[in-house]
Amino acid sequence: MTGLVYKSTGSWYTVKSEQGDFIECRMKGKFRMKGIKSTNPIAVGDIVDYELEETSDAVTGTIFNIHERKNYIVRKSVNLSHQMHIIASNIDRVFLLITINNPPTTFNFIDRFLVTAEAYNIETILVFNKIDTFDEPTLEDQLYMQYVYQQIGYKCLRVSSTEMKGVDELKEMMIGKVSMFSGHSGVGKSTLVNAMEPSLHLKTKTISEASKQGQHTTTFAEMYDLSFNAKIIDTPGIKGFGIVDMEKEEISGYFPEFFKLKDQCKFNNCLHKEEPHCAIKAALERDEIAWSRYNSYLKILEGDEENYRTDTYDEDRKISDETRNQK
């Protein structure tokens, strides 16, 4: 029998059958996915083959095969730095929820997420949430961040779950697709899903006033069927986003504005750091590439771990402002 994984708790998997029934399944033995060192061999979004088992309590299943994935999105495992955790698979579109200071989302976090999505060929749309809470300085910060990414070509939406602003536009972009919501804890993923589909009643929590950080409400990734012909994967909040399995020479290829200019560099293996006649650095000096993006590139290149509590948005903004003022 074949089904779609809707929930993964690490040991049990909720699988929806082709007939529409939900069955709790376990994994048969240990899976070794070719070329993937993952802490979770089965992920939400996987198409799997399973066989039924009848016990005295209920009908359960055993998963014995995972179909080839068209894509997946990963992050570095929290405890095992050399392995990765598959967040979800077979995704049509990712919506990365961003808040400016409630909690703060940095350029570095966004860029790391976008690089991973580009590497696995997943379209990402940036959703600036909680716009109803913005004062004038916060609005300026948000519009500046939006400008940076729109110039590159990324789609951006401005949304308020409480005032239902932008929600209908968001729903239109999800029709007929499997979408994933991601972002830090507290950016409003579950609240936004509830705004689109109130009958789901997903758990939500408020931001911690002491730390200005979000509190986890979603423990495991889970897929939901929505009434407007869409599927959504709600994911646990991500604190940091480590890059995995990328050679230094390929990283710049996942920055679209860098990729367009790479062929103009003097050296084919240019890392855009110290090399002469570098097209990326020349564009940077002409303000045609955002300094925040170049900053993120260097941190990824050098292997720095992203931590959104210390790597602040203000620092990235200051670099861009100072550079423009010098021109």
Side-chain angles (χ1 to χ4, degrees):
M1 303 180 73
T2 300
L4 181 63
V5 177
Y6 268 60
K7 186 176 182 179
S8 166
T9 64
S11 55
W12 285 90
Y13 306 90
T14 303
V15 176
K16 186 177 182 180
S17 71
E18 293 175 326
Q19 291 73 37
D21 300 318
F22 288 94
I23 299 134
E24 294 301 312
C25 296
R26 288 180 291 186
M27 184 172 59
K28 185 176 183 179
K30 290 186 177 181
F31 280 96
R32 292 189 179 274
M33 301 296 288
K34 186 178 180 181
I36 300 176
K37 295 180 180 179
S38 170
T39 58
N40 61 325
I42 300 175
V44 171
D46 277 339
I47 300 170
V48 297
D49 295 323
Y50 64 96
E51 51 193 9
L52 294 178
E53 296 178 339
E54 290 195 25
T55 65
S56 57
D57 297 326
V59 176
T60 59
T62 302
I63 297 170
F64 62 87
N65 181 52
I66 305 172
H67 290 218
E68 183 178 356
R69 297 165 173 141
K70 72 174 183 180
N71 60 35
Y72 50 90
I73 195 158
V74 302
R75 66 182 296 266
K76 189 173 289 186
S77 173
V78 175
N79 298 317
L80 301 168
S81 61
H82 297 294
Q83 287 196 314
M84 65 185 185
H85 179 83
I86 302 172
I87 300 173
S89 68
N90 299 318
I91 308 158
D92 295 318
R93 189 171 276 174
V94 171
F95 294 90
L96 181 62
L97 269 67
I98 299 165
T99 47
I100 303 304
N101 56 14
N102 189 26
T105 307
T106 67
F107 280 108
N108 193 18
F109 176 84
I110 296 169
D111 294 336
R112 285 171 180 269
F113 192 97
L114 291 175
V115 163
T116 299
E118 292 280 352
Y120 292 96
N121 196 30
I122 302 172
E123 180 187 12
T124 303
I125 295 166
L126 305 184
V127 179
F128 294 92
N129 198 19
K130 305 184 183 181
I131 61 172
D132 57 292
T133 66
F134 292 174
D135 56 19
E136 190 170 339
T138 307
L139 176 60
E140 290 178 0
D141 287 347
Q142 184 271 308
L143 292 176
Y144 171 76
M145 186 177 269
Q146 181 174 332
Y147 169 80
V148 168
Y149 291 102
Q150 283 182 328
Q151 289 295 103
I152 300 166
Y154 287 106
K155 294 178 182 176
C156 298
L157 288 177
R158 303 178 71 249
V159 170
S160 166
S161 304
T162 56
E163 296 183 357
M164 296 299 288
K165 292 179 179 177
V167 174
D168 287 342
E169 185 179 357
L170 179 59
K171 289 169 68 172
E172 283 289 326
M173 301 177 79
M174 295 171 62
I175 292 174
K177 298 184 181 298
V178 176
S179 300
M180 185 181 100
F181 279 11
S182 194
H184 289 316
S185 296
V187 294
K189 297 184 296 295
S190 298
T191 301
L192 185 53
V193 175
N194 283 337
M196 293 188 295
E197 197 74 83
S199 61
L200 289 178
H201 301 296
L202 301 189
K203 292 181 180 179
T204 61
K205 281 187 179 179
T206 57
I207 297 293
S208 167
E209 286 301 318
S211 63
K212 294 298 181 184
Q213 295 175 30
Q215 303 173 70
H216 290 287
T217 52
T218 303
T219 308
F220 304 103
E222 185 166 2
M223 183 184 295
Y224 299 94
D225 294 318
L226 304 180
S227 60
F228 51 94
N229 185 30
K231 296 183 190 304
I232 181 67
I233 301 173
D234 188 24
T235 62
I238 303 171
K239 175 182 156 185
F241 203 87
I243 301 294
V244 291
D245 292 338
M246 285 189 191
E247 299 295 331
K248 287 187 175 183
E249 292 76 16
E250 68 176 309
I251 293 171
S252 64
Y254 302 128
F255 285 74
E257 70 274 41
F258 290 19
F259 183 74
K260 291 177 183 177
L261 299 172
K262 280 182 68 173
D263 290 345
Q264 298 177 30
C265 292
K266 181 177 181 179
F267 300 103
N268 291 334
N269 60 347
C270 184
L271 290 179
H272 322 302
K273 290 180 66 181
E274 313 298 337
E275 301 88 345
H277 306 292
C278 170
I280 277 76
K281 288 194 296 181
L284 189 66
E285 292 301 322
R286 296 193 300 267
D287 253 359
E288 295 171 1
I289 288 176
W291 280 87
S292 61
R293 291 279 286 172
Y294 186 68
N295 231 15
S296 295
Y297 167 73
L298 291 180
K299 289 178 180 178
I300 295 171
L301 195 67
E302 293 160 7
D304 289 352
E305 291 303 311
E306 195 273 345
N307 187 316
Y308 81 99
R309 289 178 298 177
T310 57
D311 180 30
T312 64
Y313 166 77
D314 288 339
E315 180 183 332
D316 285 334
R317 174 71 184 271
K318 182 180 178 183
I319 289 170
S320 296
D321 287 348
E322 287 180 349
T323 303
R324 282 197 300 272
N325 291 335
Q326 292 171 2
K327 302 297 179 183

